[in-house]
Amino acid sequence: MGTSPEPQFDDTLQHAAQHSMATDLLEDSDIQTQTINTIRFLSADAVERAQSGHPGTPMALAPVAYKLWRDHLRHNPSDPGWPGRDRFVLSAGHASMLLYSLLHLTGYDLPMEELKNFRQWGSRTPGHPEAHLTEGVETTTGPLGQGFANGVGMALAERLLADEFNEEGFPLFDHRTYGIVSDGDLMEGVSQEAASLAGHLGLGKLVYLFDDNRITIDGGTDLAFTEDVAARFEAYGWHVAHVEDANDLEAVGAAIEEAEAETGRPSLIKVRSHIGYGAPTKQDTAAAHGAPLGEEELRGAKEALGWPTEEPFYVPDAARDHMREAKAEGEQLQSEWEALFEEYEEAHPQKAEKLKRWMTRRPPEGWEDALPTFEATSASGNELATRKASGLTLEELAPEVGYLIGGSADLTGSNKTDVEGRGDFQKENPSGRYFRFGVREHAMAGISNGMALHGGIQPYAGTFLIFSDYLRPSLRLSALMEQPVVYVFTHDSIGLGEDGPTHQPVEHLMALRAIPNLMVIRPADANEAAQAWAAAVTRTGGPTALVLTRQTLPIVDRTELTTAEGLHRGAYILREAAGQPGVILMGTGSEVQHALQAARALEKDGIQAQVVSVPSWELFEEQSETYRRKVLPPSVKARVSIEAGVTQGWERYVGPEGTAIGVDRFGASAPGERVMEEYGLTAERVAEAARALVA
């Protein structure tokens, strides 16, 4: 005989009894305290259940987050993408459960089951917040300092759009960017770059709350971080306020109000907090930072703060109702904004239509007509560097696609990224549409991500290809967040010449190709460069890297060869063989000219060569197998590639019997043409390799 199961209603009765005990325990606490502790222990319970995460910061900052979200943040949980909302950035992304608890309690589409599945497969509550995954998350954070820079970009976008579209009586763009930053954020170099620029530009609608808990993973911050943070930010040109106790809601609120009243400078509010607040032995220790508290310690924290211990993920009805008021308030705010926009449409119909296009990044009809066409190189030698062709294209394209706005990290003349008549965006000149980022490559990319995330702008950012290393973490996040930032990388190879190996990129093309969802384009001539911009502008689901030459290149005669629009397929037959090809010659950028010259030389030897321009591996891989086999016929085993970079990776296209010509060492200081010749990046070398394969 089997044992009879216990009656089903016992669990229900037990839950009801626990709920009654919890109600009795909380009846003497005010609604603010109940709600703050709800945030604390939702966060800690989720970390404990996952046995992974960071409980200490949410427990410390729950009062600060509560005060900001309940009394200051203008948002609508029913429509997370409403353009008139304030932006909130959790730069301290390790405290993700703080944000998830807030989103759940205020009524975003993040049910309790998602909190219980924190850090689990398929959940919308990953270990660090991801903007493309979870409604209400404005940016993907975790790598410290990134959110800080993103928030600067959001504040920059708000000011620019306000200047572009606001009219008297129609403040369509009049919102703030708030953020929570940690000591780790402020240690990272990217935040210091971004803070310096934000202070210079006087971004007065940017308000950051600094969690001064004085603990890092290794221990106390005094191990490595003893500077006067407030003095540093004052030197940057920020307004700085101090709150001595994170639990003092009145002081927190007053500091936020003071920051909101400061319109000429960004604000940093330094808030003294206690990591793992309430934990009996782990408060104010590194043990509360990056690991679950443990069952006993968590129970002790709940007891210390008068919280029910028997039911994890407990949410008092009063606390939920209190926070859910954000839905009705947000819907009312959005309704008022939409009514204002309807009036704006009547008063300024052309601007309203333009605003709609900008917010959806939809270029006007006929925008492609702005793309220039460059005449083929003649005997007189009208060669053109692809960086120059890019700049000429941008001059024509940017006025048509007005939301295409960007700048350079102090290399404007080299990158060719400015547009005549746009002027510099400065504190005193918000009507400028060109950004001088200064020598701040990393912040430039992080700020560009913030502008893209804000909406209404497609940013571009210029520097040398070698310095893609300096901004790579932010570029990687552009790809992860699926943001259409355009990176203009010039001086793309050893061909730049005399600056030498410190400035000559070698491994960078392959390193960029290794980033998922990044489209890398290295055009072979001026007309491919123009089409590269067209590809970048029409790409909405990720970033594009334009890789451009310093040195001049021949402009291919398209009357004899294929049109440059083949670029949009990633690789295309530039010069067909007269009959069945005996060898395939392929290349990118400045080396395609050598493949063409080699094909003509081989033809004299009776060897038919098919020349393939391969400006973008990523676009080529998106094509059908039928098309790819047409461009690179499997029957032709003799293949030669040429590219001024490392050869690693080219085996994908040349196959086991082919030859990859490239640069598998660092460069050298000399005139670019001489360096190219010494390294064997010549038509003669290509022809020799082809003859050897055919033989």
Side-chain angles (χ1 to χ4, degrees):
M1 293 176 62
T3 305
S4 300
E6 295 183 6
Q8 188 74 32
F9 60 82
D10 279 3
D11 288 339
T12 305
L13 290 174
Q14 184 180 11
H15 177 80
Q18 290 173 356
H19 186 79
S20 177
M21 292 169 58
T23 302
D24 293 341
L25 190 61
L26 296 173
E27 63 182 5
D28 292 332
S29 64
D30 61 80
I31 188 60
Q32 292 182 331
T33 301
Q34 281 193 37
T35 307
I36 291 166
N37 284 332
T38 300
I39 296 167
R40 281 187 172 121
F41 292 116
L42 277 178
S43 301
D45 282 336
V47 172
E48 196 67 31
R49 182 175 178 126
Q51 283 298 290
S52 175
H54 299 71
T57 298
M59 294 174 71
L61 283 193
V64 175
Y66 162 79
K67 188 65 177 176
L68 175 63
W69 277 61
R70 186 64 185 81
D71 294 345
H72 295 272
L73 190 71
R74 293 163 50 92
H75 64 117
N76 182 8
S78 300
D79 186 358
W82 163 46
R85 71 192 183 281
D86 291 334
R87 272 51 169 187
F88 173 75
V89 173
L90 182 67
S91 192
H94 55 276
S96 56
M97 269 310 307
L98 175 66
L99 179 53
Y100 298 148
S101 297
L102 291 164
L103 293 173
H104 169 74
L105 290 172
T106 52
Y108 285 81
D109 182 19
L110 198 68
M112 179 64 77
E113 198 59 35
E114 293 292 346
L115 272 59
K116 293 180 178 179
N117 287 333
F118 178 54
R119 289 184 169 228
Q120 304 309 301
W121 177 262
S123 77
R124 284 181 281 143
T125 48
H128 293 85
E130 297 182 30
H132 66 294
L133 182 66
T134 311
E135 277 193 1
V137 174
E138 297 282 6
T139 180
T140 299
T141 56
L144 292 172
Q146 290 293 333
F148 190 111
N150 297 162
V152 173
M154 293 174 187
L156 196 54
E158 188 276 341
R159 177 173 288 186
L160 187 151
L161 292 170
D163 178 83
E164 183 74 27
F165 293 106
N166 287 2
E167 294 287 347
E168 186 176 353
F170 297 99
L172 295 177
F173 292 96
D174 185 20
H175 53 263
R176 292 183 174 84
T177 300
Y178 299 95
I180 288 177
V181 303
S182 65
D183 42 47
D185 288 298
L186 301 189
M187 290 187 218
E188 289 286 359
V190 63
S191 70
Q192 299 181 48
E193 293 179 26
S196 175
L197 186 59
H200 167 74
L201 294 174
L203 300 178
K205 291 184 180 177
L206 181 64
V207 179
Y208 282 160
L209 294 134
F210 164 37
D211 175 26
D212 181 23
N213 64 40
R214 303 179 189 176
I215 294 293
T216 63
I217 290 175
D218 278 359
T221 52
D222 57 3
L223 291 170
F225 188 58
T226 52
E227 69 197 46
D228 187 336
V229 170
R232 170 155 66 92
F233 273 78
E234 286 170 353
Y236 285 147
W238 287 53
H239 160 74
V240 178
H242 299 261
V243 174
E244 296 304 322
D245 181 5
N247 294 298
D248 186 344
L249 295 181
E250 185 175 344
V252 171
I256 295 174
E257 289 172 6
E258 183 182 334
E260 291 170 344
E262 174 56 69
T263 59
R265 295 178 292 170
S267 294
L268 183 78
I269 303 171
K270 191 169 180 279
V271 183
R272 177 72 175 105
S273 71
H274 297 276
I275 196 168
Y277 183 79
T281 68
K282 295 185 177 181
Q283 177 179 311
D284 294 326
T285 72
H289 192 297
L293 293 177
E295 187 176 337
E296 184 177 345
E297 186 78 6
L298 179 54
R299 175 181 289 272
K302 290 180 177 180
E303 289 174 348
L305 297 179
W307 198 252
T309 60
E310 300 303 322
E311 185 179 350
F313 298 96
Y314 175 65
V315 179
D317 292 339
R320 178 180 283 108
D321 293 343
H322 180 56
M323 292 299 281
R324 286 286 162 91
E325 290 175 7
K327 288 194 75 171
E329 292 167 358
E331 287 166 1
Q332 178 62 31
L333 288 169
Q334 181 169 348
S335 177
E336 292 170 0
W337 188 90
E338 289 175 346
L340 183 68
F341 182 74
E342 287 181 9
E343 293 178 25
Y344 181 83
E345 272 190 302
E346 292 181 12
H348 306 281
Q350 291 182 329
K351 272 201 163 185
E353 178 57 31
K354 184 168 79 167
L355 174 55
K356 289 178 183 178
R357 284 197 298 97
W358 280 38
M359 293 307 294
T360 56
R361 298 191 184 100
R362 177 170 47 89
E365 290 186 18
W367 67 274
E368 302 96 330
D369 297 339
L371 295 171
T373 301
F374 299 94
E375 291 187 11
T377 297
S378 62
S380 59
N382 60 321
E383 295 190 346
L384 198 63
T386 52
R387 65 164 175 160
K388 177 68 172 177
S390 166
L392 293 171
T393 302
L394 191 58
E395 282 275 358
E396 301 297 326
L397 187 60
E400 291 296 314
V401 186
Y403 54 80
L404 186 63
I405 300 171
S408 168
D410 198 51
L411 290 169
T412 296
S414 297
N415 300 148
K416 311 297 182 189
T417 43
D418 56 338
V419 175
E420 186 177 354
R422 277 196 158 181
D424 294 342
F425 181 95
Q426 295 289 349
K427 179 179 180 179
E428 305 80 11
N429 183 34
S431 296
R433 294 294 177 265
Y434 187 73
F435 298 123
R436 304 283 180 174
F437 289 105
V439 189
R440 302 184 182 98
E441 293 89 356
H442 197 179
M444 172 178 67
I447 290 168
S448 295
N449 281 339
M451 288 192 283
L453 288 159
H454 179 280
I457 296 172
Q458 183 176 22
Y460 63 86
T463 188
F464 290 170
L465 178 59
I466 194 80
F467 300 133
S468 62
D469 282 344
Y470 277 41
L471 57 74
R472 185 182 177 91
S474 292
L475 188 156
R476 181 179 186 272
L477 285 169
S478 302
L480 177 60
M481 294 190 289
E482 303 173 354
Q483 295 304 304
V485 180
V486 183
Y487 291 90
V488 182
F489 293 131
T490 68
H491 295 58
D492 70 344
S493 73
I494 59 173
L496 69 88
E498 293 85 346
D499 276 340
T502 62
H503 282 56
Q504 292 172 358
V506 174
E507 74 277 22
H508 297 72
L509 271 166
M510 287 301 175
L512 291 177
R513 288 172 180 147
I515 299 176
N517 198 39
L518 171 64
M519 184 169 73
V520 181
I521 307 179
R522 188 173 185 239
D525 74 344
N527 286 304
E528 276 197 11
Q531 292 301 321
W533 269 108
V537 165
T538 52
R539 186 165 196 242
T540 58
T544 302
L546 306 182
V547 182
L548 309 166
T549 67
R550 178 199 185 207
Q551 72 273 26
T552 62
L553 303 180
I555 303 173
V556 173
D557 187 347
R558 301 288 171 170
T559 61
E560 296 180 2
L561 304 173
T562 335
T563 171
E565 291 180 358
L567 175 138
H568 296 276
R569 306 196 78 170
Y572 64 102
I573 300 170
L574 181 59
R575 181 185 189 272
E576 290 197 62
Q580 175 66 24
V583 64
I584 297 174
L585 309 179
M586 65 189 88
T588 75
S590 53
E591 290 69 68
V592 171
Q593 61 177 313
H594 303 315
L596 284 170
Q597 292 169 15
R600 297 185 186 106
L602 290 169
E603 196 171 44
K604 294 177 181 178
D605 297 342
I607 300 173
Q608 294 298 321
Q610 180 163 291
V611 179
V612 177
S613 178
V614 192
S616 176
W617 290 21
E618 295 77 22
L619 283 172
F620 187 51
E621 293 299 327
E622 291 176 2
Q623 306 307 309
S624 68
E625 183 180 356
T626 301
Y627 176 79
R628 285 185 278 121
R629 290 167 71 91
K630 177 184 177 183
V631 173
L632 300 176
S635 60
V636 183
K637 305 297 183 184
R639 301 180 181 188
V640 181
S641 70
I642 180 168
E643 181 175 73
V646 295
T647 56
Q648 178 186 0
W650 272 105
E651 60 273 7
R652 169 186 297 196
Y653 296 127
V654 299
E657 300 174 37
T659 298
I661 298 172
V663 182
D664 290 314
R665 52 168 287 190
F666 291 117
S669 178
E673 191 173 332
R674 177 67 182 273
V675 180
M676 287 285 205
E677 184 179 341
E678 292 290 344
Y679 277 53
L681 294 164
T682 63
E684 292 77 15
R685 174 92 180 276
V686 175
E688 288 171 10
R691 291 187 189 103
L693 290 174
V694 172

